[in-house]
Amino acid sequence: VFLTFDDGPTPGITEWILSTLKRYDAKATFFVAGSNAARYPSIMARAAAEGHEIGNHTYSHIQMTAATQEKIDSEISRTNALIEAATGSKPKVMRPPYGAINAKLVSRMFNTYGLKSILWNVDTNDWRRPGSAVVVQRALDGAKPGAIILMHDIHSPTRDAALELIPRLKKAGYQ
Ligand code: ZN
């Protein structure tokens, strides 16, 4: 299964999730918002150094399908530059906010920036703050080989959910 955390990095939340991942020898993908990446490059650098993937989630979390070409390019390239500066590598994956994509955007992302569009198929809806136990249960209910689980490392209940979810997925035989 693929654990994905969007919108961070956030001090005290992303770092906690990184420690949990390390404890259970698990990897995740962090789709960072450039505005947070600019403030917390050291958290991104730590995530990359510990073997996690860093993806682009735009700079200002806009709906890219409603943006001009110029805005699309600036959202992608500013965030790419921040990721590369902090981690030493260009990102290979991008998750457009709200999952808003169209053919033109996907081809621009790939042809100009080499970014593959990655959405999700298990939505924990953690941003609605249902409580960490509900987030854990939704993730476990949706887990199957190849599942891409969406969470957000800007909410503290998600940090608590990760602490419970990761060992339970491992125990169920997932990597
Ligand atoms: Zn987002």
Side-chain angles (χ1 to χ4, degrees):
V1 297
F2 298 90
L3 299 173
T4 66
F5 296 94
D6 290 11
D7 299 356
T10 312
I13 296 178
T14 310
E15 292 155 313
W16 179 293
I17 292 169
L18 287 171
S19 297
T20 300
L21 289 161
K22 191 177 211 172
R23 184 191 308 177
Y24 295 104
D25 190 26
K27 300 287 183 263
T29 302
F30 292 87
F31 287 100
V32 300
S35 54
N36 284 330
R39 291 162 74 194
Y40 309 113
S42 64
I43 304 178
M44 264 194 310
R46 176 183 163 192
E50 292 178 0
H52 306 291
E53 180 144 29
I54 310 296
N56 185 322
H57 194 49
T58 73
Y59 188 86
S60 43
H61 208 273
I62 60 162
Q63 186 180 329
M64 296 283 265
T65 50
T68 61
Q69 187 65 64
E70 192 182 6
K71 181 72 173 162
I72 287 169
D73 284 330
S74 88
E75 289 283 326
I76 295 175
S77 58
R78 280 177 87 184
T79 307
N80 271 3
L82 288 162
I83 294 170
E84 188 171 10
T87 69
S89 319
K90 284 194 171 74
K92 298 186 184 75
V93 291
M94 173 159 184
R95 174 174 284 162
Y98 317 106
I101 55 168
N102 57 31
K104 193 177 158 208
L105 175 62
V106 169
S107 71
R108 182 73 177 177
M109 282 164 47
F110 189 74
N111 294 333
T112 306
Y113 300 98
L115 291 164
K116 285 188 198 161
S117 176
I118 306 291
L119 300 183
W120 60 87
N121 50 30
V122 179
D123 192 346
T124 62
N125 273 297
D126 59 335
W127 59 275
R128 293 180 191 271
R129 298 184 166 262
S132 61
V134 173
V135 173
V136 170
Q137 198 54 52
R138 285 175 181 161
L140 290 172
D141 288 347
K144 59 177 191 289
I148 303 174
I149 300 170
L150 171 61
M151 290 173 281
H152 296 82
D153 56 331
I154 52 171
H155 304 301
S156 46
T158 297
R159 170 191 68 192
D160 303 334
L163 182 60
E164 190 180 337
L165 174 63
I166 294 164
R168 287 182 68 177
L169 286 170
K170 295 282 278 198
K171 208 169 180 183
Y174 289 108
Q175 293 183 311

